[in-house]
Amino acid sequence: MKKKPSCAAPLLLLLLAACSSISTPADVGNIESPANGAGGSTASVPTAVGTETAASGPAYVKPEDLKAVPLVFGRIESPALEKTAAPETASPAKVYECSAAPGLPSCSVHLYEERADNGYIGVRVFLRVPDGWYAAGGSIAGDADSLAVRFLPQGSGPAEDGPMELAIGGAPDDSYAGPVRTLFYDAEKRVWRMQDFQGHDVQRLDLNQDGQAEWVSPSAGSVPPSVGIYRWNSSARAYEYTVVENVAAAAFGLALEQVPLHAYLFKESGEWIIETGPSDRYGFFRQEGDQLAPARLTDEHSRLMDLRRTQDHRH
């Protein structure tokens, strides 16, 4: 899939059409969108209804005029950690001793702080195992006390369904999305691997309320806003990724290449809802299993426009 272009336009939904193409926030391998080959003729586009106009914002599309579409996931790589020499600094700022957990050999996580003359404070993460040391990615902004290190079920699924992984960074209580990298052991290849979610800010969310959380990237500040979902495939022993707005094109009868779409994640009445669509219309969806299904809300106004108005008032 293509890279999502950078749009220099102000953060106004009506200017999303200035972006010339739609694609993923980062390379996802060869994900095949269900929108491809679906026709995409403008004659098949659902009629937008509601009182909003092009001057005031996008128009609402009723759920009966939308289609449920499958969430198509593609594999992303989790590179193997490379062995390294022991850190030159004698004393780490923090050490986390990790007794054996399901799927993880005994290890310890060592955090070394870096302080630059310009005031930058960062943390280098090293993994120590019985046969040596591994470097676990580049420097993470912040200090060792603020960096969360914890065990989680691999891919954030239920612990009884698979092995554990080490999650480093982000919010310990998943109250916000932040930079996260996870370390896990590939027993088949006998190597440690790292997943950094393509550099996106992520948090654990149970979008379809099935009791199993995934790593979700709700990029509300990007133009257009995006929602990415990462999950662990236990059969393939690999992480997979999907971009909600890409698969949502088919729900509107559009081909992926026709028009840029947005996706905005919000929670209402205890339920996660995704508002998505092209620049001139929108609909509401929820995740149901591996599908993105149209959702009916009592209040049909655009939550994304609410966000944009709030952002405008802050400037």
Side-chain angles (χ1 to χ4, degrees):
M1 304 186 82
K2 310 171 191 172
K3 277 226 176 206
K4 180 172 284 184
S6 173
C7 297
L11 296 180
L12 291 174
L13 185 61
L14 296 180
L15 296 183
L16 295 181
C19 296
S20 59
S21 64
I22 178 68
S23 60
T24 65
D27 292 327
V28 190
N30 297 317
I31 300 178
E32 182 181 353
S33 169
N36 292 339
S41 166
T42 53
S44 66
V45 174
T47 303
V49 298
T51 57
E52 290 184 291
T53 65
S56 62
Y60 170 69
V61 180
K62 294 179 179 179
E64 56 264 32
D65 293 327
L66 298 167
K67 295 184 291 187
V69 291
L71 288 168
V72 180
F73 286 81
R75 178 171 176 165
I76 58 172
E77 294 302 314
S78 299
L81 296 184
E82 295 184 0
K83 276 194 172 181
T84 187
E88 294 180 2
T89 306
S91 300
K94 260 190 174 179
V95 176
Y96 293 86
E97 295 291 344
C98 308
S99 57
L104 291 181
S106 294
C107 63
S108 55
V109 176
H110 296 242
L111 307 183
Y112 289 82
E113 288 186 346
E114 299 177 319
R115 296 178 181 268
D117 293 339
N118 63 3
Y120 171 81
I121 302 175
V123 177
R124 288 275 179 179
V125 181
F126 291 87
L127 183 70
R128 187 174 186 180
V129 298
D131 67 344
W133 292 80
Y134 291 90
S139 180
I140 301 173
D143 58 33
D145 287 333
S146 63
L147 187 64
V149 178
R150 62 233 188 255
F151 282 119
L152 291 173
Q154 193 158 48
S156 283
E160 62 270 17
D161 281 359
M164 306 289 282
E165 62 187 358
L166 277 162
I168 301 169
D173 60 355
D174 299 307
S175 57
Y176 60 84
V180 174
R181 62 188 63 164
T182 69
L183 309 180
F184 61 94
Y185 187 68
D186 183 339
E188 182 183 21
K189 302 292 185 182
R190 296 186 178 181
V191 297
W192 283 88
R193 298 190 181 277
M194 181 179 74
Q195 181 55 245
D196 70 353
F197 308 104
Q198 304 172 93
H200 298 154
D201 289 354
V202 294
Q203 65 189 116
R204 295 185 308 154
L205 300 174
D206 182 5
L207 295 188
N208 60 359
Q209 299 183 333
D210 65 351
Q212 177 171 337
E214 285 81 28
W215 291 106
V216 179
S217 175
S219 303
S222 61
V223 178
S226 173
V227 176
I229 303 173
Y230 299 83
R231 72 180 184 186
W232 176 255
N233 185 324
S234 57
S235 299
R237 296 185 297 279
Y239 268 100
E240 299 177 328
Y241 177 54
T242 190
V243 183
V244 170
E245 62 269 27
N246 284 356
V247 300
F252 288 83
L254 298 168
L256 181 60
E257 296 80 5
Q258 276 189 294
V259 61
L261 275 76
H262 65 273
Y264 174 57
L265 178 68
F266 62 95
K267 194 171 189 179
E268 201 164 276
S269 301
E271 183 178 24
W272 288 106
I273 299 293
I274 297 172
E275 178 182 327
T276 185
S279 61
D280 61 346
R281 55 196 179 277
Y282 66 93
F284 297 121
F285 294 80
R286 61 171 59 90
Q287 183 184 351
E288 295 181 355
D290 285 341
Q291 278 197 326
L292 193 66
R296 185 179 300 279
L297 303 185
T298 303
D299 187 339
E300 299 171 348
H301 82 279
S302 169
R303 305 323 192 258
L304 179 58
M305 291 303 292
D306 286 347
L307 175 68
R308 293 301 188 224
R309 292 182 187 110
T310 300
Q311 290 172 334
D312 290 344
H313 290 156
R314 290 174 180 170
H315 295 301

